[in-house]
Amino acid sequence: MPTFPSRKFRPSSPSIPLSLQDRLAAAYRSKMHRHPFLLFGLPFILTMVAGSFFLTPATALRYERHDRKVKQLSKTEELGLKSKEGKGGRGWDINEEYYRLAAKRKREGNKEAG
């Protein structure tokens, strides 16, 4: 005789009457065993597809906000506030400024000596 019987234990009369929720859960579990895709797989796939449709506007807003920020930067660049790496504008570099002032001081020193 096997250790565990193959039949499920079913009490003859439940000690506590089952509520509607318990009866629905039991019916769902028994039908789930027979049709797993219909009662689990299909709702899961439908949830994923519906979620992608609901999240599409949210991602569109994200990219539109990013585009607005990029456009604002391009407006400031039009005013001549471009960085050194930008096209068409001259940026401020501390090394370049140092060497410019050092050359200016050297020229003034040569004028005084000469």
Side-chain angles (χ1 to χ4, degrees):
M1 183 166 150
T3 309
F4 297 106
S6 61
R7 293 182 295 149
K8 294 182 182 178
F9 174 73
R10 298 177 194 241
S12 58
S13 63
S15 57
I16 302 171
L18 294 175
S19 67
L20 177 64
Q21 183 178 1
D22 292 334
R23 285 183 282 165
L24 288 174
Y28 181 78
R29 278 191 301 267
S30 68
K31 290 180 182 179
M32 175 78 166
H33 184 67
R34 284 185 236 134
H35 308 287
F37 179 75
L38 264 175
L39 297 173
F40 182 75
L42 190 61
F44 179 76
I45 291 172
L46 290 176
T47 302
M48 293 295 117
V49 170
S52 71
F53 280 110
F54 286 120
L55 289 176
T56 300
T59 41
L61 285 174
R62 177 178 174 232
Y63 289 117
E64 287 172 7
R65 186 176 300 146
H66 178 71
D67 288 343
R68 265 189 255 128
K69 286 181 184 178
V70 170
K71 286 180 184 176
Q72 286 175 354
L73 288 177
S74 66
K75 286 180 184 177
T76 58
E77 289 175 351
E78 287 175 7
L79 297 174
L81 301 175
K82 291 186 179 184
S83 65
K84 187 175 183 181
E85 293 83 19
K87 297 179 182 174
R90 182 176 172 149
W92 185 82
D93 185 21
I94 193 162
N95 291 331
E96 190 176 314
E97 191 70 18
Y98 171 78
Y99 289 121
R100 187 183 67 79
L101 290 173
K104 184 178 179 181
R105 181 176 284 185
K106 192 174 184 181
R107 274 181 276 151
E108 288 174 359
N110 288 340
K111 286 180 185 177
E112 290 174 6

